[in-house]
Amino acid sequence: MQKVKIPVTLDPVKAAQKRSVFDGIVLLQTLTRLTESLVEKQGEVAVRIECGTDEQGLAVLHGEAACQVAVCCERCGEPMTLALNSEFVYTPVKGDDDAALALIPERYDVVVRNEHGEINLRQLVEDELILALPLFPMHDAAACQINADAMSFGDIGPEPEKPNPFAILQELKKK
């Protein structure tokens, strides 16, 4: 199967009218915000986007993005491979159309069209993959290369006793 690159920008209304389907790849190194969190910046993201209209007549983009990325384990500091999978449904709106926002069902996320009526598909896919990244990626505890003893950073001694600030009041009460 031939690997086709997904377009960078898209007019979602025209694509929805044509019921366009985009099935291809986005190179991982073009997703600069995502690659800041990765160990390896090479690879590709498999993307499928289906455009259409719903029963309300709204343009809808239903998509999936999947890739394998290498991140740093927060526990042991060694690289690890993660499978990122994201499924999303967007409807495009104009940036200043508050009346249209009120009519959009909650099952859709909103993407703002630029001044030319287009959306940036690469940025949309990148946002979804960033959201799919775990906050603290870690190996399973059994598979992690670090010893539990090495995670100990010292003993905390007993807390020194502080004088009771109300001891003076207790002395006055005895008098």
Side-chain angles (χ1 to χ4, degrees):
M1 181 176 151
Q2 185 179 4
K3 295 181 180 180
V4 179
K5 290 184 182 177
I6 297 292
V8 176
T9 60
L10 168 75
D11 184 337
V13 176
K14 288 181 183 176
Q17 290 170 346
K18 293 179 183 177
R19 296 187 183 274
S20 300
V21 176
F22 300 94
D23 197 356
I25 61 166
V26 174
L27 296 177
L28 203 54
Q29 65 255 20
T30 62
L31 307 177
T32 55
R33 291 180 296 132
L34 175 64
T35 56
E36 289 174 0
S37 304
L38 305 180
V39 175
E40 282 285 322
K41 298 178 183 358
Q42 301 299 317
E44 31 188 63
V45 181
V47 179
R48 178 174 174 83
I49 298 175
E50 299 174 6
C51 307
T53 54
D54 68 354
E55 55 277 351
Q56 282 183 284
L58 295 172
V60 177
L61 304 173
H62 182 272
E64 301 170 351
C67 66
Q68 295 280 335
V69 295
V71 294
C72 187
C73 174
E74 292 292 325
R75 185 180 297 131
C76 67
E78 295 295 320
M80 64 180 276
T81 304
L82 279 178
L84 297 181
N85 295 308
S86 180
E87 192 170 325
F88 49 89
V89 181
Y90 282 95
T91 186
V93 295
K94 292 180 184 174
D96 56 355
D97 197 358
D98 292 333
L101 286 173
L103 299 174
I104 295 175
E106 289 183 20
R107 66 182 180 266
Y108 299 142
D109 288 324
V110 176
V111 63
V112 178
R113 295 186 291 174
N114 65 14
E115 63 273 359
H116 304 295
E118 296 180 335
I119 60 169
N120 189 326
L121 283 181
R122 185 179 293 161
Q123 185 177 1
L124 189 101
V125 168
E126 185 175 24
D127 290 344
E128 287 295 325
L129 291 174
I130 288 171
L131 290 172
L133 271 175
L135 288 177
F136 302 104
M138 288 186 270
H139 292 107
D140 290 332
C144 209
Q145 299 295 324
I146 197 157
N147 183 335
D149 296 334
M151 290 193 288
S152 170
F153 298 105
D155 293 327
I156 298 176
E159 189 172 330
E161 279 194 39
K162 297 178 184 173
N164 186 353
F166 299 105
I168 297 171
L169 293 176
Q170 199 163 18
E171 292 293 322
L172 289 174
K173 188 177 176 183
K174 288 180 184 178
K175 290 183 180 181

PDB file of all heavy atoms in Angstrom, residues 60-99:
ATOM      1  N   VAL A  60     -18.655  17.664   9.782  1.00  0.00           N
ATOM      2  CA  VAL A  60     -18.061  16.858  10.844  1.00  0.00           C
ATOM      3  C   VAL A  60     -16.816  16.150  10.301  1.00  0.00           C
ATOM      4  O   VAL A  60     -16.844  15.595   9.203  1.00  0.00           O
ATOM      5  CB  VAL A  60     -19.060  15.810  11.379  1.00  0.00           C
ATOM      6  CG1 VAL A  60     -18.422  14.928  12.425  1.00  0.00           C
ATOM      7  CG2 VAL A  60     -20.286  16.489  11.942  1.00  0.00           C
ATOM      8  N   LEU A  61     -15.749  16.199  11.088  1.00  0.00           N
ATOM      9  CA  LEU A  61     -14.519  15.478  10.761  1.00  0.00           C
ATOM     10  C   LEU A  61     -14.325  14.397  11.822  1.00  0.00           C
ATOM     11  O   LEU A  61     -14.142  14.701  12.999  1.00  0.00           O
ATOM     12  CB  LEU A  61     -13.311  16.416  10.785  1.00  0.00           C
ATOM     13  CG  LEU A  61     -13.365  17.645   9.906  1.00  0.00           C
ATOM     14  CD1 LEU A  61     -12.165  18.537  10.178  1.00  0.00           C
ATOM     15  CD2 LEU A  61     -13.412  17.263   8.461  1.00  0.00           C
ATOM     16  N   HIS A  62     -14.407  13.155  11.388  1.00  0.00           N
ATOM     17  CA  HIS A  62     -14.196  12.031  12.301  1.00  0.00           C
ATOM     18  C   HIS A  62     -12.857  11.420  11.941  1.00  0.00           C
ATOM     19  O   HIS A  62     -12.635  11.061  10.784  1.00  0.00           O
ATOM     20  CB  HIS A  62     -15.314  10.991  12.160  1.00  0.00           C
ATOM     21  CG  HIS A  62     -15.173   9.858  13.106  1.00  0.00           C
ATOM     22  ND1 HIS A  62     -14.434   8.741  12.809  1.00  0.00           N
ATOM     23  CD2 HIS A  62     -15.644   9.678  14.354  1.00  0.00           C
ATOM     24  CE1 HIS A  62     -14.472   7.915  13.840  1.00  0.00           C
ATOM     25  NE2 HIS A  62     -15.204   8.458  14.788  1.00  0.00           N
ATOM     26  N   GLY A  63     -11.956  11.328  12.917  1.00  0.00           N
ATOM     27  CA  GLY A  63     -10.625  10.844  12.577  1.00  0.00           C
ATOM     28  C   GLY A  63     -10.004   9.958  13.623  1.00  0.00           C
ATOM     29  O   GLY A  63     -10.464   9.858  14.753  1.00  0.00           O
ATOM     30  N   GLU A  64      -8.922   9.322  13.185  1.00  0.00           N
ATOM     31  CA  GLU A  64      -8.122   8.469  14.049  1.00  0.00           C
ATOM     32  C   GLU A  64      -6.660   8.749  13.743  1.00  0.00           C
ATOM     33  O   GLU A  64      -6.295   8.979  12.594  1.00  0.00           O
ATOM     34  CB  GLU A  64      -8.397   6.989  13.766  1.00  0.00           C
ATOM     35  CG  GLU A  64      -9.820   6.561  13.957  1.00  0.00           C
ATOM     36  CD  GLU A  64     -10.071   5.153  13.422  1.00  0.00           C
ATOM     37  OE1 GLU A  64      -9.174   4.582  12.752  1.00  0.00           O
ATOM     38  OE2 GLU A  64     -11.156   4.639  13.659  1.00  0.00           O
ATOM     39  N   ALA A  65      -5.831   8.711  14.758  1.00  0.00           N
ATOM     40  CA  ALA A  65      -4.390   8.864  14.593  1.00  0.00           C
ATOM     41  C   ALA A  65      -3.712   7.829  15.480  1.00  0.00           C
ATOM     42  O   ALA A  65      -4.109   7.641  16.631  1.00  0.00           O
ATOM     43  CB  ALA A  65      -3.938  10.265  14.976  1.00  0.00           C
ATOM     44  N   ALA A  66      -2.701   7.162  14.943  1.00  0.00           N
ATOM     45  CA  ALA A  66      -1.997   6.134  15.700  1.00  0.00           C
ATOM     46  C   ALA A  66      -0.519   6.147  15.329  1.00  0.00           C
ATOM     47  O   ALA A  66      -0.166   6.348  14.161  1.00  0.00           O
ATOM     48  CB  ALA A  66      -2.597   4.760  15.415  1.00  0.00           C
ATOM     49  N   CYS A  67       0.327   5.951  16.339  1.00  0.00           N
ATOM     50  CA  CYS A  67       1.767   5.873  16.093  1.00  0.00           C
ATOM     51  C   CYS A  67       2.468   5.232  17.272  1.00  0.00           C
ATOM     52  O   CYS A  67       1.892   5.067  18.344  1.00  0.00           O
ATOM     53  CB  CYS A  67       2.348   7.258  15.809  1.00  0.00           C
ATOM     54  SG  CYS A  67       2.282   8.384  17.205  1.00  0.00           S
ATOM     55  N   GLN A  68       3.709   4.857  17.047  1.00  0.00           N
ATOM     56  CA  GLN A  68       4.598   4.349  18.095  1.00  0.00           C
ATOM     57  C   GLN A  68       5.612   5.442  18.377  1.00  0.00           C
ATOM     58  O   GLN A  68       6.222   5.969  17.444  1.00  0.00           O
ATOM     59  CB  GLN A  68       5.327   3.092  17.624  1.00  0.00           C
ATOM     60  CG  GLN A  68       4.428   1.907  17.356  1.00  0.00           C
ATOM     61  CD  GLN A  68       4.043   1.181  18.626  1.00  0.00           C
ATOM     62  OE1 GLN A  68       4.743   1.230  19.627  1.00  0.00           O
ATOM     63  NE2 GLN A  68       2.909   0.497  18.588  1.00  0.00           N
ATOM     64  N   VAL A  69       5.786   5.807  19.643  1.00  0.00           N
ATOM     65  CA  VAL A  69       6.756   6.839  20.011  1.00  0.00           C
ATOM     66  C   VAL A  69       7.665   6.316  21.113  1.00  0.00           C
ATOM     67  O   VAL A  69       7.296   5.417  21.862  1.00  0.00           O
ATOM     68  CB  VAL A  69       6.066   8.145  20.474  1.00  0.00           C
ATOM     69  CG1 VAL A  69       5.290   8.776  19.338  1.00  0.00           C
ATOM     70  CG2 VAL A  69       5.175   7.913  21.669  1.00  0.00           C
ATOM     71  N   ALA A  70       8.858   6.893  21.187  1.00  0.00           N
ATOM     72  CA  ALA A  70       9.812   6.553  22.242  1.00  0.00           C
ATOM     73  C   ALA A  70       9.896   7.730  23.202  1.00  0.00           C
ATOM     74  O   ALA A  70      10.188   8.851  22.794  1.00  0.00           O
ATOM     75  CB  ALA A  70      11.177   6.246  21.651  1.00  0.00           C
ATOM     76  N   VAL A  71       9.586   7.469  24.469  1.00  0.00           N
ATOM     77  CA  VAL A  71       9.638   8.500  25.508  1.00  0.00           C
ATOM     78  C   VAL A  71      10.580   8.026  26.609  1.00  0.00           C
ATOM     79  O   VAL A  71      10.981   6.871  26.652  1.00  0.00           O
ATOM     80  CB  VAL A  71       8.234   8.801  26.088  1.00  0.00           C
ATOM     81  CG1 VAL A  71       7.328   9.417  25.049  1.00  0.00           C
ATOM     82  CG2 VAL A  71       7.603   7.565  26.670  1.00  0.00           C
ATOM     83  N   CYS A  72      10.896   8.918  27.520  1.00  0.00           N
ATOM     84  CA  CYS A  72      11.784   8.612  28.635  1.00  0.00           C
ATOM     85  C   CYS A  72      10.937   8.202  29.846  1.00  0.00           C
ATOM     86  O   CYS A  72      10.013   8.917  30.229  1.00  0.00           O
ATOM     87  CB  CYS A  72      12.626   9.842  28.955  1.00  0.00           C
ATOM     88  SG  CYS A  72      13.888   9.549  30.178  1.00  0.00           S
ATOM     89  N   CYS A  73      11.249   7.055  30.431  1.00  0.00           N
ATOM     90  CA  CYS A  73      10.551   6.580  31.630  1.00  0.00           C
ATOM     91  C   CYS A  73      10.874   7.516  32.784  1.00  0.00           C
ATOM     92  O   CYS A  73      12.035   7.822  33.042  1.00  0.00           O
ATOM     93  CB  CYS A  73      10.982   5.156  31.964  1.00  0.00           C
ATOM     94  SG  CYS A  73      10.317   4.528  33.528  1.00  0.00           S
ATOM     95  N   GLU A  74       9.871   7.990  33.484  1.00  0.00           N
ATOM     96  CA  GLU A  74      10.062   8.923  34.591  1.00  0.00           C
ATOM     97  C   GLU A  74      10.635   8.235  35.828  1.00  0.00           C
ATOM     98  O   GLU A  74      11.163   8.904  36.697  1.00  0.00           O
ATOM     99  CB  GLU A  74       8.733   9.587  34.957  1.00  0.00           C
ATOM    100  CG  GLU A  74       8.192  10.516  33.898  1.00  0.00           C
ATOM    101  CD  GLU A  74       9.033  11.764  33.713  1.00  0.00           C
ATOM    102  OE1 GLU A  74       9.583  12.270  34.701  1.00  0.00           O
ATOM    103  OE2 GLU A  74       9.151  12.220  32.570  1.00  0.00           O
ATOM    104  N   ARG A  75      10.555   6.912  35.902  1.00  0.00           N
ATOM    105  CA  ARG A  75      11.054   6.200  37.070  1.00  0.00           C
ATOM    106  C   ARG A  75      12.543   5.870  36.930  1.00  0.00           C
ATOM    107  O   ARG A  75      13.328   6.135  37.818  1.00  0.00           O
ATOM    108  CB  ARG A  75      10.254   4.909  37.277  1.00  0.00           C
ATOM    109  CG  ARG A  75      10.616   4.167  38.537  1.00  0.00           C
ATOM    110  CD  ARG A  75       9.820   2.884  38.720  1.00  0.00           C
ATOM    111  NE  ARG A  75       8.408   3.146  38.848  1.00  0.00           N
ATOM    112  CZ  ARG A  75       7.463   2.508  38.164  1.00  0.00           C
ATOM    113  NH1 ARG A  75       7.789   1.568  37.304  1.00  0.00           N
ATOM    114  NH2 ARG A  75       6.201   2.777  38.335  1.00  0.00           N
ATOM    115  N   CYS A  76      12.922   5.300  35.759  1.00  0.00           N
ATOM    116  CA  CYS A  76      14.310   4.847  35.614  1.00  0.00           C
ATOM    117  C   CYS A  76      15.126   5.700  34.646  1.00  0.00           C
ATOM    118  O   CYS A  76      16.345   5.581  34.613  1.00  0.00           O
ATOM    119  CB  CYS A  76      14.342   3.391  35.167  1.00  0.00           C
ATOM    120  SG  CYS A  76      13.698   3.101  33.500  1.00  0.00           S
ATOM    121  N   GLY A  77      14.487   6.538  33.859  1.00  0.00           N
ATOM    122  CA  GLY A  77      15.205   7.402  32.923  1.00  0.00           C
ATOM    123  C   GLY A  77      15.590   6.727  31.627  1.00  0.00           C
ATOM    124  O   GLY A  77      16.236   7.345  30.778  1.00  0.00           O
ATOM    125  N   GLU A  78      15.195   5.486  31.427  1.00  0.00           N
ATOM    126  CA  GLU A  78      15.511   4.759  30.194  1.00  0.00           C
ATOM    127  C   GLU A  78      14.414   4.978  29.154  1.00  0.00           C
ATOM    128  O   GLU A  78      13.255   5.210  29.506  1.00  0.00           O
ATOM    129  CB  GLU A  78      15.634   3.258  30.490  1.00  0.00           C
ATOM    130  CG  GLU A  78      16.781   2.909  31.401  1.00  0.00           C
ATOM    131  CD  GLU A  78      18.132   3.201  30.783  1.00  0.00           C
ATOM    132  OE1 GLU A  78      18.320   2.952  29.580  1.00  0.00           O
ATOM    133  OE2 GLU A  78      19.005   3.708  31.517  1.00  0.00           O
ATOM    134  N   PRO A  79      14.760   4.896  27.863  1.00  0.00           N
ATOM    135  CA  PRO A  79      13.734   5.043  26.820  1.00  0.00           C
ATOM    136  C   PRO A  79      12.734   3.891  26.850  1.00  0.00           C
ATOM    137  O   PRO A  79      13.084   2.763  27.201  1.00  0.00           O
ATOM    138  CB  PRO A  79      14.529   5.021  25.509  1.00  0.00           C
ATOM    139  CG  PRO A  79      15.944   5.211  25.887  1.00  0.00           C
ATOM    140  CD  PRO A  79      16.103   4.781  27.295  1.00  0.00           C
ATOM    141  N   MET A  80      11.518   4.189  26.491  1.00  0.00           N
ATOM    142  CA  MET A  80      10.472   3.173  26.396  1.00  0.00           C
ATOM    143  C   MET A  80       9.563   3.497  25.215  1.00  0.00           C
ATOM    144  O   MET A  80       9.451   4.650  24.803  1.00  0.00           O
ATOM    145  CB  MET A  80       9.662   3.087  27.691  1.00  0.00           C
ATOM    146  CG  MET A  80       8.886   4.332  28.034  1.00  0.00           C
ATOM    147  SD  MET A  80       7.950   4.206  29.560  1.00  0.00           S
ATOM    148  CE  MET A  80       6.468   3.400  28.985  1.00  0.00           C
ATOM    149  N   THR A  81       8.941   2.490  24.670  1.00  0.00           N
ATOM    150  CA  THR A  81       8.060   2.659  23.516  1.00  0.00           C
ATOM    151  C   THR A  81       6.613   2.692  23.976  1.00  0.00           C
ATOM    152  O   THR A  81       6.197   1.875  24.798  1.00  0.00           O
ATOM    153  CB  THR A  81       8.261   1.508  22.514  1.00  0.00           C
ATOM    154  OG1 THR A  81       9.639   1.461  22.144  1.00  0.00           O
ATOM    155  CG2 THR A  81       7.421   1.707  21.282  1.00  0.00           C
ATOM    156  N   LEU A  82       5.875   3.654  23.450  1.00  0.00           N
ATOM    157  CA  LEU A  82       4.451   3.790  23.743  1.00  0.00           C
ATOM    158  C   LEU A  82       3.666   3.742  22.443  1.00  0.00           C
ATOM    159  O   LEU A  82       4.106   4.288  21.430  1.00  0.00           O
ATOM    160  CB  LEU A  82       4.154   5.139  24.383  1.00  0.00           C
ATOM    161  CG  LEU A  82       4.394   5.352  25.847  1.00  0.00           C
ATOM    162  CD1 LEU A  82       4.058   6.785  26.221  1.00  0.00           C
ATOM    163  CD2 LEU A  82       3.572   4.411  26.685  1.00  0.00           C
ATOM    164  N   ALA A  83       2.510   3.152  22.496  1.00  0.00           N
ATOM    165  CA  ALA A  83       1.584   3.196  21.361  1.00  0.00           C
ATOM    166  C   ALA A  83       0.563   4.286  21.660  1.00  0.00           C
ATOM    167  O   ALA A  83      -0.143   4.221  22.663  1.00  0.00           O
ATOM    168  CB  ALA A  83       0.902   1.856  21.185  1.00  0.00           C
ATOM    169  N   LEU A  84       0.529   5.302  20.814  1.00  0.00           N
ATOM    170  CA  LEU A  84      -0.458   6.375  20.969  1.00  0.00           C
ATOM    171  C   LEU A  84      -1.583   6.149  19.967  1.00  0.00           C
ATOM    172  O   LEU A  84      -1.337   6.002  18.776  1.00  0.00           O
ATOM    173  CB  LEU A  84       0.180   7.742  20.715  1.00  0.00           C
ATOM    174  CG  LEU A  84       1.286   8.183  21.656  1.00  0.00           C
ATOM    175  CD1 LEU A  84       1.769   9.572  21.268  1.00  0.00           C
ATOM    176  CD2 LEU A  84       0.815   8.172  23.086  1.00  0.00           C
ATOM    177  N   ASN A  85      -2.801   6.131  20.469  1.00  0.00           N
ATOM    178  CA  ASN A  85      -3.984   5.991  19.624  1.00  0.00           C
ATOM    179  C   ASN A  85      -4.981   7.052  20.052  1.00  0.00           C
ATOM    180  O   ASN A  85      -5.253   7.197  21.236  1.00  0.00           O
ATOM    181  CB  ASN A  85      -4.617   4.605  19.785  1.00  0.00           C
ATOM    182  CG  ASN A  85      -3.700   3.514  19.297  1.00  0.00           C
ATOM    183  OD1 ASN A  85      -3.213   3.560  18.187  1.00  0.00           O
ATOM    184  ND2 ASN A  85      -3.443   2.539  20.154  1.00  0.00           N
ATOM    185  N   SER A  86      -5.511   7.758  19.084  1.00  0.00           N
ATOM    186  CA  SER A  86      -6.466   8.806  19.402  1.00  0.00           C
ATOM    187  C   SER A  86      -7.592   8.787  18.379  1.00  0.00           C
ATOM    188  O   SER A  86      -7.350   8.650  17.179  1.00  0.00           O
ATOM    189  CB  SER A  86      -5.763  10.167  19.382  1.00  0.00           C
ATOM    190  OG  SER A  86      -6.677  11.177  19.680  1.00  0.00           O
ATOM    191  N   GLU A  87      -8.793   8.921  18.875  1.00  0.00           N
ATOM    192  CA  GLU A  87      -9.966   9.026  18.012  1.00  0.00           C
ATOM    193  C   GLU A  87     -10.645  10.342  18.343  1.00  0.00           C
ATOM    194  O   GLU A  87     -10.779  10.700  19.512  1.00  0.00           O
ATOM    195  CB  GLU A  87     -10.915   7.853  18.274  1.00  0.00           C
ATOM    196  CG  GLU A  87     -12.000   7.741  17.241  1.00  0.00           C
ATOM    197  CD  GLU A  87     -12.786   6.443  17.374  1.00  0.00           C
ATOM    198  OE1 GLU A  87     -12.190   5.418  17.724  1.00  0.00           O
ATOM    199  OE2 GLU A  87     -14.007   6.497  17.135  1.00  0.00           O
ATOM    200  N   PHE A  88     -11.064  11.074  17.324  1.00  0.00           N
ATOM    201  CA  PHE A  88     -11.610  12.412  17.552  1.00  0.00           C
ATOM    202  C   PHE A  88     -12.727  12.719  16.565  1.00  0.00           C
ATOM    203  O   PHE A  88     -12.796  12.144  15.482  1.00  0.00           O
ATOM    204  CB  PHE A  88     -10.500  13.466  17.453  1.00  0.00           C
ATOM    205  CG  PHE A  88      -9.641  13.349  16.220  1.00  0.00           C
ATOM    206  CD1 PHE A  88      -9.978  13.993  15.047  1.00  0.00           C
ATOM    207  CD2 PHE A  88      -8.484  12.588  16.260  1.00  0.00           C
ATOM    208  CE1 PHE A  88      -9.183  13.891  13.924  1.00  0.00           C
ATOM    209  CE2 PHE A  88      -7.672  12.477  15.136  1.00  0.00           C
ATOM    210  CZ  PHE A  88      -8.024  13.138  13.963  1.00  0.00           C
ATOM    211  N   VAL A  89     -13.609  13.632  16.999  1.00  0.00           N
ATOM    212  CA  VAL A  89     -14.697  14.119  16.164  1.00  0.00           C
ATOM    213  C   VAL A  89     -14.763  15.638  16.343  1.00  0.00           C
ATOM    214  O   VAL A  89     -14.950  16.120  17.460  1.00  0.00           O
ATOM    215  CB  VAL A  89     -16.057  13.486  16.542  1.00  0.00           C
ATOM    216  CG1 VAL A  89     -17.157  14.007  15.638  1.00  0.00           C
ATOM    217  CG2 VAL A  89     -15.983  11.970  16.494  1.00  0.00           C
ATOM    218  N   TYR A  90     -14.588  16.362  15.261  1.00  0.00           N
ATOM    219  CA  TYR A  90     -14.590  17.827  15.294  1.00  0.00           C
ATOM    220  C   TYR A  90     -15.639  18.378  14.346  1.00  0.00           C
ATOM    221  O   TYR A  90     -15.982  17.752  13.341  1.00  0.00           O
ATOM    222  CB  TYR A  90     -13.232  18.380  14.840  1.00  0.00           C
ATOM    223  CG  TYR A  90     -12.160  18.296  15.883  1.00  0.00           C
ATOM    224  CD1 TYR A  90     -11.274  17.229  15.919  1.00  0.00           C
ATOM    225  CD2 TYR A  90     -12.025  19.293  16.835  1.00  0.00           C
ATOM    226  CE1 TYR A  90     -10.286  17.160  16.874  1.00  0.00           C
ATOM    227  CE2 TYR A  90     -11.035  19.230  17.801  1.00  0.00           C
ATOM    228  CZ  TYR A  90     -10.171  18.157  17.811  1.00  0.00           C
ATOM    229  OH  TYR A  90      -9.195  18.099  18.763  1.00  0.00           O
ATOM    230  N   THR A  91     -16.100  19.568  14.679  1.00  0.00           N
ATOM    231  CA  THR A  91     -16.915  20.346  13.759  1.00  0.00           C
ATOM    232  C   THR A  91     -16.296  21.740  13.684  1.00  0.00           C
ATOM    233  O   THR A  91     -15.911  22.302  14.708  1.00  0.00           O
ATOM    234  CB  THR A  91     -18.395  20.403  14.194  1.00  0.00           C
ATOM    235  OG1 THR A  91     -19.156  21.051  13.171  1.00  0.00           O
ATOM    236  CG2 THR A  91     -18.591  21.109  15.497  1.00  0.00           C
ATOM    237  N   PRO A  92     -16.151  22.272  12.484  1.00  0.00           N
ATOM    238  CA  PRO A  92     -15.509  23.584  12.345  1.00  0.00           C
ATOM    239  C   PRO A  92     -16.477  24.737  12.596  1.00  0.00           C
ATOM    240  O   PRO A  92     -17.663  24.641  12.285  1.00  0.00           O
ATOM    241  CB  PRO A  92     -15.032  23.584  10.887  1.00  0.00           C
ATOM    242  CG  PRO A  92     -16.002  22.682  10.202  1.00  0.00           C
ATOM    243  CD  PRO A  92     -16.412  21.646  11.196  1.00  0.00           C
ATOM    244  N   VAL A  93     -15.943  25.812  13.183  1.00  0.00           N
ATOM    245  CA  VAL A  93     -16.731  27.030  13.392  1.00  0.00           C
ATOM    246  C   VAL A  93     -15.862  28.234  13.056  1.00  0.00           C
ATOM    247  O   VAL A  93     -14.640  28.144  13.037  1.00  0.00           O
ATOM    248  CB  VAL A  93     -17.234  27.164  14.849  1.00  0.00           C
ATOM    249  CG1 VAL A  93     -18.207  26.074  15.201  1.00  0.00           C
ATOM    250  CG2 VAL A  93     -16.089  27.205  15.824  1.00  0.00           C
ATOM    251  N   LYS A  94     -16.519  29.360  12.832  1.00  0.00           N
ATOM    252  CA  LYS A  94     -15.791  30.617  12.699  1.00  0.00           C
ATOM    253  C   LYS A  94     -15.439  31.074  14.107  1.00  0.00           C
ATOM    254  O   LYS A  94     -16.163  30.814  15.053  1.00  0.00           O
ATOM    255  CB  LYS A  94     -16.648  31.667  12.000  1.00  0.00           C
ATOM    256  CG  LYS A  94     -16.925  31.353  10.557  1.00  0.00           C
ATOM    257  CD  LYS A  94     -17.776  32.423   9.932  1.00  0.00           C
ATOM    258  CE  LYS A  94     -18.134  32.048   8.512  1.00  0.00           C
ATOM    259  NZ  LYS A  94     -19.075  32.998   7.912  1.00  0.00           N
ATOM    260  N   GLY A  95     -14.345  31.784  14.249  1.00  0.00           N
ATOM    261  CA  GLY A  95     -13.845  32.172  15.562  1.00  0.00           C
ATOM    262  C   GLY A  95     -14.771  33.058  16.364  1.00  0.00           C
ATOM    263  O   GLY A  95     -14.814  32.999  17.580  1.00  0.00           O
ATOM    264  N   ASP A  96     -15.575  33.896  15.712  1.00  0.00           N
ATOM    265  CA  ASP A  96     -16.398  34.871  16.428  1.00  0.00           C
ATOM    266  C   ASP A  96     -17.890  34.548  16.406  1.00  0.00           C
ATOM    267  O   ASP A  96     -18.710  35.385  16.730  1.00  0.00           O
ATOM    268  CB  ASP A  96     -16.155  36.261  15.837  1.00  0.00           C
ATOM    269  CG  ASP A  96     -16.435  36.303  14.332  1.00  0.00           C
ATOM    270  OD1 ASP A  96     -16.715  35.241  13.750  1.00  0.00           O
ATOM    271  OD2 ASP A  96     -16.361  37.398  13.752  1.00  0.00           O
ATOM    272  N   ASP A  97     -18.261  33.341  16.053  1.00  0.00           N
ATOM    273  CA  ASP A  97     -19.670  32.975  15.894  1.00  0.00           C
ATOM    274  C   ASP A  97     -20.184  32.296  17.168  1.00  0.00           C
ATOM    275  O   ASP A  97     -20.256  31.085  17.259  1.00  0.00           O
ATOM    276  CB  ASP A  97     -19.819  32.054  14.681  1.00  0.00           C
ATOM    277  CG  ASP A  97     -21.253  31.952  14.209  1.00  0.00           C
ATOM    278  OD1 ASP A  97     -22.133  32.561  14.855  1.00  0.00           O
ATOM    279  OD2 ASP A  97     -21.494  31.269  13.207  1.00  0.00           O
ATOM    280  N   ASP A  98     -20.569  33.115  18.175  1.00  0.00           N
ATOM    281  CA  ASP A  98     -21.039  32.572  19.455  1.00  0.00           C
ATOM    282  C   ASP A  98     -22.397  31.892  19.330  1.00  0.00           C
ATOM    283  O   ASP A  98     -22.694  30.939  20.046  1.00  0.00           O
ATOM    284  CB  ASP A  98     -21.126  33.679  20.506  1.00  0.00           C
ATOM    285  CG  ASP A  98     -19.747  34.200  20.899  1.00  0.00           C
ATOM    286  OD1 ASP A  98     -18.785  33.425  20.790  1.00  0.00           O
ATOM    287  OD2 ASP A  98     -19.654  35.370  21.307  1.00  0.00           O
ATOM    288  N   ALA A  99     -23.228  32.355  18.412  1.00  0.00           N
ATOM    289  CA  ALA A  99     -24.549  31.751  18.224  1.00  0.00           C
ATOM    290  C   ALA A  99     -24.405  30.327  17.700  1.00  0.00           C
ATOM    291  O   ALA A  99     -25.149  29.428  18.107  1.00  0.00           O
ATOM    292  CB  ALA A  99     -25.381  32.592  17.271  1.00  0.00           C
TER     293      ALA A  99
END
